[in-house]
Amino acid sequence: MSPRDRLLDLLADQAVQGLDAADEAELELLLSAAPDVDAEELQRCAAALDCALAGPSAEPLPPTLRLAVERDLRRLMNAGTPPGRPGVLRLTAPRPVRRWLRPMLTASGWAAAVVIAVGAWWLIQAERGRRNDNQGPRAENRTEPKPKTAAQELASLRETPGTKTAAGTKPNAAEHVGEVVWNTERQEGFLRLTGVPVNDPSREQYQVWLFDEERGELPVDGGVFDVSGDGEVIIPIRARLTVRKPKIVAVTREKPGGVVVSKKEQIVLLARLDS
Amino acid sequence: VPSSAEDVRVSESLLSRIAAGDPNAVSACLERYGGLVWSLTRRFLGQSADAEDAVQDIFVDLWRNAPRYDARLASEATFVTLLARRRLIDRRRRSQRRPEPGPLPEAIPAPPGAGTDRVDLRDEAAHAATALGALREDQRRVLQLAIYHGLTHEEIARATGMPLGTVKTHARRGLIRVRELLAVPTLPGKGQVQTGRPGGPP
């Protein structure tokens, strides 16, 4: 199979069901050597097919969800963050290969880049072939590596330089209810909670807030979550906006879908990241 | 999905209004695409609690990417669907939370827009439906299961009894064939082969 055919196959796989990390890396290499290829064309075809198959009828957006989305978008607008601001836009994982190759993709570097990309692609193919030979007939049915569990991702984040950990307590600071793990550079974090009561998602949900020293008093929404059983739960924090100097992480109990501004009437957890 | 020329004209101005920071465009965008995104999300994630969170992510993503929209390449509905599918595929791969796999092949319902003679679809979607109808039966079936029902290659192989390699080949060749068919300029101003990498993610 030629690199061009392989590139098309990967783009088709990406459009239909996504790629694993190894295929993503291979796709990046091949795309870097094929500047004439529209990398989104097959995704547009899949999207057009999706529209065609779905037809014009659509289940309406639930009113509460619509309200939450509208508030999200208006808050982004009010925050003065222009759409498509560089540094915020990230549709896929970072592409180290492309950054690595970028300096070479000048007029004088094209030939070298193509040679390196094709060479690297052949190395990948050779390595895959060797693995397949070792696996024999099972190669066709190989399973992709399982994505990490939340606990594994939390453990990994703990090992990342710059990650802060803070104990989470109830507002009176008397009762320990878990911990917050946060990395500002990666904008990733987790709550590890114990003993937080089970909630009824149709009546209320827990909502995470990040107080950013640079943003003043209005905290950044960190997403909503539910607790469905006893014992320890690990919740990823999904900050809606970039948090640069986090001071406090809080969890409140709010109406389903969360709120834009919390009255802070039912605080479940407080954790000081700046202490 | 817009269904008239006027709808299309109005629709095609929405993302540019969002990109320009027009606050009134938010409501209009949710009115027009809320159902599309919600239906798509429910198909991908089922009844999971993740679905509402996903919808919020998709619209924030749409807001961030609005300036990238290029009406020469696709309709707004297709652009919205592209961003939503990308988010949903990514989310599903990371979480491994999936709705129950689809039923056995003889019981698989035809998607609502599966016919090839729909006149109530926007031009681009109708053109895609025609292209789908022009595929070989196996390719069409695999693409319907993969794109509309959201099954993985492995699930399609189990549901249809096809070898996994055959499923992958049908999905790839089928989609590439659709691309070729959509590139035939049967619609004025549409379906041109685009080259280069316009506005791709950084």
Side-chain angles (χ1 to χ4, degrees), chain B residues 81-97:
Chain B
T81 302
L82 183 157
L83 290 179
R85 284 181 55 84
R86 193 183 285 177
R87 277 283 172 213
L88 292 167
I89 287 171
D90 184 45
R91 183 176 279 261
R92 198 174 59 186
R93 289 184 76 86
R94 278 189 283 115
S95 70
Q96 282 194 314
R97 282 199 293 269

Side-chain angles (χ1 to χ4, degrees), chain A residues 27 40 42-43 65 88 110-111 146 164 174 180-181 238:
Chain A
L27 177 60
E40 287 189 339
L42 287 178
Q43 290 182 59
L65 178 58
V88 172
W110 268 114
K146 287 184 178 177
K164 292 181 175 179
V180 175
V181 178
R238 298 191 176 100

Side-chain angles (χ1 to χ4, degrees), chain A residues 209-213 217 219-220 243 245-250 264:
Chain A
W209 302 96
L210 296 104
F211 288 80
D212 185 349
E213 204 172 331
E217 289 185 5
V220 173
V243 179
K245 288 189 178 177
K247 288 170 59 180
I248 295 172
V249 176
K264 305 184 188 71

Side-chain angles (χ1 to χ4, degrees), chain B residues 52-119:
Chain B
E52 294 196 359
D53 201 27
V55 168
Q56 289 181 272
D57 278 350
I58 288 166
F59 275 103
V60 170
D61 203 32
L62 180 60
W63 179 81
R64 287 174 175 160
N65 281 281
R68 286 184 52 225
Y69 173 63
D70 184 343
R72 295 168 300 175
L73 298 179
S75 69
E76 273 199 346
T78 298
F79 183 77
V80 172
T81 302
L82 183 157
L83 290 179
R85 284 181 55 84
R86 193 183 285 177
R87 277 283 172 213
L88 292 167
I89 287 171
D90 184 45
R91 183 176 279 261
R92 198 174 59 186
R93 289 184 76 86
R94 278 189 283 115
S95 70
Q96 282 194 314
R97 282 199 293 269
R98 301 180 47 75
E100 286 298 306
L104 292 174
E106 51 273 19
I108 291 174
T116 58
D117 56 350
R118 302 288 299 268
V119 294

Side-chain angles (χ1 to χ4, degrees), chain A residues 136-148:
Chain A
R138 288 184 302 166
E140 178 75 6
N141 294 321
R142 73 182 168 87
T143 54
E144 293 167 2
K146 287 184 178 177
K148 288 181 179 175

Side-chain angles (χ1 to χ4, degrees), chain A residues 53-76:
Chain A
L53 289 166
S57 60
E59 190 180 352
L61 197 61
T64 53
L65 178 58
R66 178 182 167 142
L67 201 58
V69 173
E70 193 161 351
R71 283 172 174 166
D72 273 353
L73 296 180
R74 291 196 188 285
R75 193 168 53 180
L76 281 169

Side-chain angles (χ1 to χ4, degrees), chain A residues 1 5-6 8-21 28 31-32 34-62 64-66 68-70 72-74 76-77 81-85 88-93 95 98 102 140-142 144-148 153 205 221 223-224 226 238-242 256-257, chain B residues 1 18-19 21-24 26-27 30-31 34-36 38-40 42-44 49-50 52-53 55-57 59-61 63-68 73-74 77-78 81-83 85-87 89 91-94 96 111-114 118 120-121 124-126 128-129 132 143-144 146-148 151-154 164-165 168 171-173 175-176 178-179 182 193-202:
Chain A
M1 180 185 287
D5 290 340
R6 177 63 181 160
L8 273 180
D9 281 354
L10 285 171
L11 288 170
D13 288 351
Q14 182 189 46
V16 171
Q17 65 171 33
L19 299 176
D20 61 24
E28 288 299 328
L31 281 173
S32 67
D36 61 315
V37 171
D38 178 351
E40 287 189 339
E41 188 178 15
L42 287 178
Q43 290 182 59
R44 285 196 298 275
C45 289
L49 283 177
D50 200 317
C51 288
L53 289 166
S57 60
E59 190 180 352
L61 197 61
T64 53
L65 178 58
R66 178 182 167 142
V69 173
E70 193 161 351
D72 273 353
L73 296 180
R74 291 196 188 285
L76 281 169
M77 282 187 167
T81 312
R85 187 186 66 173
V88 172
L89 174 67
R90 199 178 87 182
L91 292 177
T92 57
R95 299 177 163 184
R98 187 178 295 175
R102 191 175 292 141
E140 178 75 6
N141 294 321
R142 73 182 168 87
E144 293 167 2
K146 287 184 178 177
K148 288 181 179 175
E153 288 186 352
Q205 285 191 291
D221 178 6
V224 297
D226 302 309
R238 298 191 176 100
R240 303 289 184 199
L241 299 171
T242 302
Chain B
V1 177
I18 287 178
D22 176 357
N24 295 324
V26 171
S27 295
L30 286 170
E31 185 68 33
L36 184 154
W38 177 239
S39 299
L40 184 56
R42 292 287 298 275
R43 270 196 276 129
F44 267 76
D50 213 20
E52 294 196 359
D53 201 27
V55 168
Q56 289 181 272
D57 278 350
F59 275 103
V60 170
D61 203 32
W63 179 81
R64 287 174 175 160
N65 281 281
R68 286 184 52 225
L73 298 179
T78 298
T81 302
L82 183 157
L83 290 179
R85 284 181 55 84
R86 193 183 285 177
R87 277 283 172 213
I89 287 171
R91 183 176 279 261
R92 198 174 59 186
R93 289 184 76 86
R94 278 189 283 115
Q96 282 194 314
R118 302 288 299 268
D120 51 351
L121 295 176
E124 186 172 69
L132 189 66
L143 280 182
Q144 281 183 355
I147 291 176
Y148 182 76
L151 301 191
T152 65
H153 290 151
E154 290 77 9
L164 181 59
K168 289 181 178 179
R172 291 164 175 169
R173 298 290 157 263
L175 190 60
I176 290 167
V178 167
R179 181 192 67 161
L182 290 178
V193 176
Q194 300 293 335
T195 58
R197 302 175 61 187

